[in-house]
């Protein structure tokens, strides 16, 4: 569904992504993991064209993404960051309904979908619908951010360390919520983390980044069993052969 073909990125003379070729399947939960500065965010931002490659090409369902209109491309992709920027002057309902409103859904249709999602995310609609972001905990804000990203059923959800600022309990709840939404809606998720436990829990497949290169792409079991190098072996607990 999403294919990188020989993608490199330079900033000045520095090569921050080095010849990435990989493919993400439709409906897959695909996790990018690697140390800080290894190129995960740059790779993710290329999928919705916040950053363009210096070399190579990216395809969405076989079509080069720079031949798709930006508006269409971005409406097809929810995007969730570490610090969700909810609009502080809009209520929870208004924040979640932004994209449906742009798409011209009726008021009743928006409200019904928003209520359903809030209930599903453990934020009872009667309590949370008209609250403002300042009256939510960090975990609750992040939940609202996820609902906002998925309400219009985008086929793809991009998530960049979305839970790394949360306490362990909220983190686990949001991991579970994301997994259940992904399974239920069949969304393709591309998820950046630096936490191997999170990666193992969520991923269908993991791509390990190191200094701008992808060292290995595999499902967590195969990767633990056959790590491509010492770095991957260490990541999985250091079982070297
Ligand atoms: N706008 C930029 N200009 C120059 N270098 C950048 C820019 N953005 C990112 N980089 C560099 O690219 C590398 C990869 O960054 P990034 O993709 O954010 O890594 P990660 O998300 O894995 O921590 C880093 O060395 C970073 O300093
Ligand atoms: Mg990053």
């Amino acid at each position: 569904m999403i294919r990188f073909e020989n993608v490199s990125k330079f900033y000045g003379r520095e090569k921050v992504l080095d010849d990435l070729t990989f493919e993400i399947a439709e409906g897959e939960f695909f996790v990018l993991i690697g140390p800080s500065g290894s190129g995960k965010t740059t790779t993710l931002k290329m999928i919705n064209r916040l950053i363009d490659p210096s070399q190579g090409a990216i395809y969405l369902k076989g079509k080069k993404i720079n031949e798709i209109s930006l508006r269409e491309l971005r409406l097809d992709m929810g995007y969730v960051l570490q610090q969700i920027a909810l609009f502080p002057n809009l209520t929870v309902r208004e924040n979640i309904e932004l994209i449906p409103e742009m798409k011209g859904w009726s008021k009743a249709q928006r409200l019904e979908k928003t209520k359903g999602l809030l209930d599903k995310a453990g934020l009872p609609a009667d309590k949370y619908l008209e609250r403002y972001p300042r009256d939510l905990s960090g975990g609750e804000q992040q939940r609202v951010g996820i609902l906002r990203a998925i309400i219009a059923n985008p086929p793809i959800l991009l998530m960049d360390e979305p839970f790394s600022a949360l306490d362990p309990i909220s983190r686990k709840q949001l991991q579970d919520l994301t997994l259940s939404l992904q399974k239920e809606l069949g969304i393709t998720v591309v998820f950046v983390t630096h936490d191997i436990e999170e990666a193992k829990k969520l991923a269908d497949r993991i791509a390990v980044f190191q200094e701008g290169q992808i060292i290995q792409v595999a499902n967590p079991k195969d990767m633990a069993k056959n790590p491509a190098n010492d770095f991957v072996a260490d990541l999985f607990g250091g079982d070297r052969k």
Side-chain angles (χ1 to χ4, degrees):
M1 172 173 224
I2 302 168
R3 187 155 53 93
F4 277 60
E5 231 174 67
N6 303 109
V7 170
S8 294
K9 179 70 185 177
F10 294 86
Y11 285 114
R13 270 198 268 155
E14 200 190 343
K15 197 180 213 178
V16 301
L17 290 181
D18 185 6
D19 199 25
L20 305 187
T21 297
F22 64 97
E23 181 154 4
I24 300 169
E26 188 162 357
E28 187 169 34
F29 204 120
F30 194 85
V31 172
L32 316 182
I33 192 166
S36 178
S38 58
K40 307 179 298 294
T41 294
T42 306
T43 302
L44 194 75
K45 284 182 172 173
M46 282 180 170
I47 299 174
N48 65 1
R49 291 194 58 207
L50 285 171
I51 298 177
D52 287 320
S54 309
Q55 294 170 355
I58 300 164
Y59 298 83
L60 177 62
K61 294 184 178 165
K63 197 166 171 187
K64 272 194 185 171
I65 59 168
N66 53 7
E67 291 167 3
I68 303 170
S69 84
L70 260 190
R71 182 187 156 86
E72 194 185 327
L73 186 78
R74 296 209 177 135
L75 281 177
D76 266 0
M77 296 182 188
Y79 189 37
V80 179
L81 300 162
Q82 184 178 337
Q83 293 293 346
I84 288 283
L86 294 178
F87 291 94
N89 54 332
L90 300 183
T91 64
V92 165
R93 180 179 60 73
E94 290 164 337
N95 267 284
I96 296 177
E97 291 184 356
L98 282 172
I99 291 174
E101 208 173 342
M102 269 169 58
K103 288 193 160 181
W105 296 17
S106 75
K107 203 171 167 189
Q109 200 184 2
R110 297 195 311 254
L111 187 63
E112 190 192 335
K113 186 78 191 260
T114 300
K115 279 183 168 173
L117 284 175
L118 280 171
D119 286 335
K120 193 172 292 175
L123 303 172
D126 55 350
K127 252 176 86 185
Y128 284 88
L129 210 48
E130 302 304 332
R131 279 206 200 168
Y132 284 89
R134 63 175 173 273
D135 301 323
L136 303 177
S137 71
E140 291 169 341
Q141 289 186 30
Q142 206 68 354
R143 261 172 235 230
V144 172
I146 293 172
L147 300 184
R148 181 173 69 177
I150 60 146
I151 185 168
N153 299 325
I156 296 169
L157 181 59
L158 308 176
M159 306 182 88
D160 197 348
E161 308 209 15
F163 312 141
S164 52
L166 301 178
D167 62 273
I169 293 173
S170 302
R171 189 168 196 174
K172 181 182 178 307
Q173 289 171 339
L174 283 173
Q175 289 167 347
D176 294 341
L177 173 67
T178 305
L179 267 182
S180 72
L181 289 170
Q182 186 250 349
K183 300 280 178 270
E184 185 183 324
L185 307 174
I187 310 176
T188 306
V189 179
V190 190
F191 187 105
V192 170
T193 183
H194 56 248
D195 175 353
I196 185 64
E197 293 311 319
E198 184 165 72
K200 285 198 271 190
K201 171 173 175 176
L202 298 174
D204 292 315
R205 286 189 305 152
I206 300 175
V208 179
F209 280 69
Q210 192 179 20
E211 296 176 4
Q213 298 185 330
I214 292 184
I215 304 302
Q216 187 170 11
V217 180
N219 72 47
K221 261 192 193 150
D222 288 346
M223 202 172 261
K225 226 192 300 175
N226 292 306
N229 66 10
D230 285 352
F231 176 75
V232 180
D234 278 342
L235 202 59
F236 277 82
D239 295 336
R240 262 172 244 183
K241 293 197 195 109

